[in-house]
Amino acid sequence: MAVTQEKIQTVADIKEKLSTTKGAVLTNYRGLTVAQDTKLRRKLREAGVEYKVFKNTMTRIAAKEAGIEGLDPYLEGPTAIAISYTDPVAPAKVISEFVKENKLQALEVKAGLVEGKVIDANGVKALSNLPPREVLISQVLAGFQAPIAGFVNVLSGTMRNLVYALEAVRKQKESA
């Protein structure tokens, strides 16, 4: 098998995608009808997720060059990769919801990739159950805000007590 310029370019493209992805999901799409595949691709596109089929050999080489370890065992049979460059949870969420909605056995989740680390199908399932990014951020911010609000209340209570004490001393001195 000759290594053509086209193959070298394809490997470079895949390497670039794998290196810059926040989250990706590898699926076995065998058994999907054309209509189901079209519907899945539309949902992924709406979520800002790229969905492509790459040759396993090319993906294997690209992953090795990108320094991603542990992907090889999942690169067997037909493999499509859903890639998001902004949201690590989006591909897992969209694919899991699609499988549930359509009661599919045909679409099998093989593995996932989060920030360059390989996770198995169970990891992808756990990832899909996470709340959306915005909700997580608001939960973290609320967690930060609660102690600060409590601290402000304690400080204002202490200041109020100081003012009452000073007022009492002033009245006491006035009456003396």
Side-chain angles (χ1 to χ4, degrees):
M1 177 172 101
V3 177
T4 62
Q5 193 58 41
E6 190 180 332
K7 287 180 182 173
I8 292 169
Q9 186 57 49
T10 302
V11 168
D13 289 347
I14 299 169
K15 177 186 172 188
E16 171 69 20
K17 289 177 189 309
L18 293 177
S19 299
T20 57
T21 185
K22 292 270 187 237
V25 174
L26 283 73
T27 63
N28 176 348
Y29 57 88
R30 185 187 291 148
L32 276 186
T33 66
V34 173
Q36 289 170 331
D37 187 55
T38 305
K39 194 172 167 187
L40 174 61
R41 286 175 185 273
R42 187 179 315 112
K43 284 196 180 297
L44 287 165
R45 207 174 19 256
E46 286 167 5
V49 178
E50 186 180 326
Y51 187 68
K52 283 199 160 173
V53 176
F54 297 110
K55 285 194 173 346
N56 289 334
T57 311
M58 307 267 186
T59 306
R60 208 173 272 124
I61 294 166
K64 189 180 234 170
E65 285 182 11
I68 298 168
E69 293 173 23
L71 208 55
D72 281 9
Y74 303 106
L75 295 171
E76 297 296 327
T79 306
I81 307 176
I83 298 172
S84 174
Y85 303 104
T86 54
D87 185 355
V89 179
K93 208 170 229 7
V94 173
I95 288 172
S96 294
E97 284 171 9
F98 186 78
V99 168
K100 272 185 220 153
E101 275 174 26
N102 297 283
K103 296 174 179 60
L104 290 178
Q105 265 72 56
L107 186 66
E108 172 205 351
V109 172
K110 293 181 173 189
L113 199 60
V114 179
E115 305 276 347
K117 301 280 176 262
V118 176
I119 56 173
D120 63 6
N122 291 332
V124 172
K125 188 172 188 201
L127 197 61
S128 72
N129 292 328
L130 280 178
R133 184 172 184 268
E134 293 75 22
V135 174
L136 285 174
I137 290 171
S138 67
Q139 287 172 344
V140 168
L141 290 177
F144 284 145
Q145 196 175 1
I148 294 168
F151 185 62
V152 167
N153 287 339
V154 167
L155 279 182
S156 65
T158 306
M159 294 296 254
R160 207 174 304 114
N161 290 342
L162 178 65
V163 169
Y164 290 146
L166 289 174
E167 182 62 21
V169 169
R170 187 186 66 78
K171 282 183 180 175
Q172 191 178 19
K173 288 199 178 195
E174 263 179 17
S175 63

